[in-house]
Amino acid sequence: MSFKIFRFNCCGLDVHKTWIYACIGITDSNGRTDYKQARFSSFSKGLKELCDWLAKYNCSEVCMESTGKYWIPVFNVLEKANNSVILAHPKYTKTQKGNKTDRKDAKWICDLFMCEMIKPSFIPPADIRHLRDLVRYRFKLTCMITGEKNRAQNCLTVSNLKLDDVFSDVFGKSSRSITEYMLAHPGEIFDVAPFVDSRCKTPMEEIQAAVDGAISPEQAIKLRQCLNHIDELEKHLEEIEREILRLSDKYQAALDLIRTVPAFDKNPMTAIQILSEIGGDMSVFPSAKHLVSWAGCCPRNDQSNKRIKSTRISRAGNYIKPILVQVANGLLRSKKHPEITGRYKRIKSHRGHKKAIIAICRMLLTAIWHILSDLKPYTAEGFLESRPVNKAKVLTTSQALNLLKQRGYTIKDDIVPAMN
């Protein structure tokens, strides 16, 4: 039994840290395939030799699996050499255990690619990849700042300094000035009134009582290093954000459309984060369902013998999914978008909060796909369709009240005006 061949001259690459194993499959008119194999270094010189070797056999279609970060320089060099490069997830190129070598892996990838049995991964254009790299680094910096703030808060807690009980932001202007004075004058009793902003609503007596603690020299050293590290990370974050805004200027039209989606206009970085993950060209996703599946916001297919084993969402979308969940959680109490809050209440009543939030994420992502495909701003008309009432279903008054309560509505008695 043989498979139908779709590509008559293609190459499979098995990428490693130091070496790259390549295999070209050339199929003649009689259906016989001749393989050409070689090994190249992953240094720049070796990558140039790989491009020359591909040009020698007139091969322009290349497939490789994503191996850590090692595939990125190979992809960039082959892309600049006008080759059509397909990146595949390792689960689609997995070989048989016990009978595999690096050369056999390259030949196996070539055979799968030749027969159209590899599902390509979505790789955005180079400028979007550069923007995505900076946006993800910004996310890492934000996480590092949060971690340092937690460590600094632990120092204050251990020293019995209850600044978090009297200030909403422990690292705000008033609280930070008090902390700096305590570090500069250890063990000194001082008046906090000159350091507290006049708009602070907490009584001065409570703030004075909150700083009635003693910080040890060891905790003071740790706290000082944490605060210095926070200031340094925030400077790096500002520089990265300026560069992100510069790179995203060319996509201002797409960003303006994304910001018409509810809650995406609050922070300018939110729309940029979405754009850096999915790009501005929605033609790479045949439908909104493909985009939702790529982002990991839909149930998986895990069924055997008419038995559904699992409907959990996949692990895809590690960077885009948290953004959508954060936006969805911010929209739950909004009164301006009943199409979102109503859908959340309906699903939450019988499926729970987590599944309802993912449903809202899918709703937002579907709207973004249509917005970027049609180049039209967001509108709620498509979600507010009139649903005919099933006249055959009759509910009692208590059943109707319970149904409304399950959907999140609060029932109040009518207020009757007093008669004079």
Side-chain angles (χ1 to χ4, degrees):
M1 184 177 64
S2 60
F3 293 95
K4 183 178 179 180
I5 296 177
F6 292 88
R7 292 181 172 87
F8 296 92
N9 190 352
C10 62
C11 177
L13 298 180
D14 187 36
V15 181
H16 295 272
K17 180 180 179 180
T18 308
W19 299 101
I20 300 172
Y21 295 86
C23 178
I24 293 179
I26 303 175
T27 307
D28 57 16
S29 58
N30 297 324
R32 291 174 297 187
T33 303
D34 183 25
Y35 295 98
K36 308 292 181 180
Q37 293 184 332
R39 187 184 75 165
F40 301 93
S41 170
S42 60
F43 294 166
S44 298
K45 180 181 179 181
L47 296 179
K48 293 178 182 178
E49 294 175 355
L50 172 61
C51 293
D52 297 337
W53 184 71
L54 292 173
K56 175 182 176 182
Y57 293 101
N58 295 323
C59 180
S60 61
E61 294 182 318
V62 182
C63 178
M64 61 180 176
E65 65 180 11
S66 56
T67 309
K69 297 291 184 180
Y70 303 134
W71 64 270
I72 297 179
V74 182
F75 186 94
N76 294 335
V77 171
L78 293 178
E79 186 182 40
K80 290 180 181 178
N82 297 324
N83 291 296
S84 177
V85 188
I86 298 297
L87 187 70
H89 194 281
K91 67 181 179 182
Y92 298 121
T93 60
K94 191 174 183 180
T95 57
Q96 182 182 0
K97 291 183 179 180
N99 185 24
K100 65 185 295 296
T101 61
D102 295 333
R103 295 186 182 277
K104 288 184 179 180
D105 289 345
K107 182 176 179 296
W108 175 248
I109 294 174
C110 179
D111 290 337
L112 294 177
F113 188 48
M114 189 186 304
C115 300
E116 285 279 350
M117 298 179 67
I118 289 183
K119 184 179 180 180
S121 300
F122 165 60
I123 304 296
D127 50 353
I128 292 291
R129 295 202 301 269
H130 299 157
L131 180 63
R132 174 193 286 183
D133 190 37
L134 290 181
V135 170
R136 291 183 177 182
Y137 181 58
R138 175 185 174 272
F139 172 74
K140 297 295 183 182
L141 287 177
T142 305
C143 294
M144 292 169 65
I145 292 174
T146 303
E148 285 297 328
K149 287 184 176 181
N150 291 336
R151 296 182 189 96
Q153 178 60 43
N154 290 338
C155 294
L156 296 174
T157 303
V158 170
S159 304
N160 201 27
L161 299 173
K162 304 293 185 180
L163 294 178
D164 56 330
D165 290 340
V166 293
F167 292 109
S168 59
D169 184 9
V170 181
F171 301 93
K173 184 177 180 180
S174 299
S175 179
R176 182 66 183 270
S177 61
I178 293 175
T179 305
E180 292 288 348
Y181 186 85
M182 287 189 297
L183 291 176
H185 304 82
E188 180 181 334
I189 300 176
F190 64 99
D191 184 16
V192 298
F195 304 99
V196 180
D197 192 91
S198 59
R199 294 170 294 180
C200 183
K201 297 180 181 180
T202 307
M204 203 63 62
E205 295 78 9
E206 293 186 13
I207 300 177
Q208 189 69 51
V211 298
D212 187 16
I215 184 169
S216 63
E218 294 77 15
Q219 291 295 331
I221 294 174
K222 179 182 176 182
L223 180 58
R224 167 53 60 195
Q225 296 301 322
C226 290
L227 295 177
N228 292 340
H229 196 195
I230 291 172
D231 295 339
E232 185 180 356
L233 289 174
E234 288 179 348
K235 291 180 181 178
H236 295 329
L237 184 62
E238 292 177 359
E239 295 179 2
I240 289 296
E241 288 183 350
R242 284 197 295 268
E243 185 65 18
I244 289 174
L245 292 174
R246 186 188 67 83
L247 292 176
S248 62
D249 282 341
K250 60 187 300 185
Y251 296 99
Q252 194 59 43
L255 291 174
D256 292 339
L257 289 173
I258 295 176
R259 291 188 180 111
T260 60
V261 181
F264 277 88
D265 57 340
K266 304 297 181 183
N267 188 347
M269 284 293 170
T270 307
I272 297 177
Q273 286 178 294
I274 296 294
L275 181 70
S276 67
E277 294 296 329
I278 66 176
D281 183 16
M282 292 295 101
S283 62
V284 296
F285 300 103
S287 66
K289 293 182 179 179
H290 288 79
L291 175 59
V292 171
S293 176
W294 175 84
C297 293
C298 65
R300 68 177 68 179
N301 289 328
D302 192 0
Q303 182 177 351
S304 179
N305 193 23
K306 298 182 179 181
R307 177 174 173 267
I308 299 177
K309 297 181 179 180
S310 175
T311 58
R312 293 175 62 90
I313 58 176
S314 65
R315 297 182 180 180
N318 292 334
Y319 288 92
I320 189 174
K321 203 184 305 181
I323 306 170
L324 296 172
V325 171
Q326 185 178 3
V327 171
N329 280 310
L331 287 170
L332 297 184
R333 298 182 180 180
S334 174
K335 297 181 180 179
K336 299 180 181 179
H337 306 285
E339 73 278 7
I340 295 177
T341 55
R343 180 178 178 84
Y344 170 79
K345 291 176 181 178
R346 287 195 304 270
I347 299 176
K348 181 187 176 183
S349 62
H350 60 282
R351 301 300 298 275
H353 167 75
K354 292 183 178 180
K355 288 184 172 60
I357 281 293
I358 294 299
I360 299 302
C361 295
R362 176 173 180 169
M363 182 179 177
L364 295 174
L365 206 54
T366 302
I368 291 173
W369 185 88
H370 285 284
I371 286 170
L372 296 179
S373 298
D374 303 335
L375 300 180
K376 295 180 180 179
Y378 172 84
T379 176
E381 296 179 357
F383 298 106
L384 295 175
E385 299 178 355
S386 58
R387 298 183 178 182
V389 180
N390 187 4
K391 298 181 180 180
K393 191 169 185 178
V394 180
L395 299 177
T396 62
T397 303
S398 60
Q399 290 175 341
L401 292 176
N402 291 331
L403 180 61
L404 291 175
K405 290 179 181 178
Q406 290 176 359
R407 293 187 176 181
Y409 293 94
T410 303
I411 311 299
K412 295 183 178 180
D413 296 333
D414 294 334
I415 300 175
V416 180
M419 299 297 294
N420 295 329

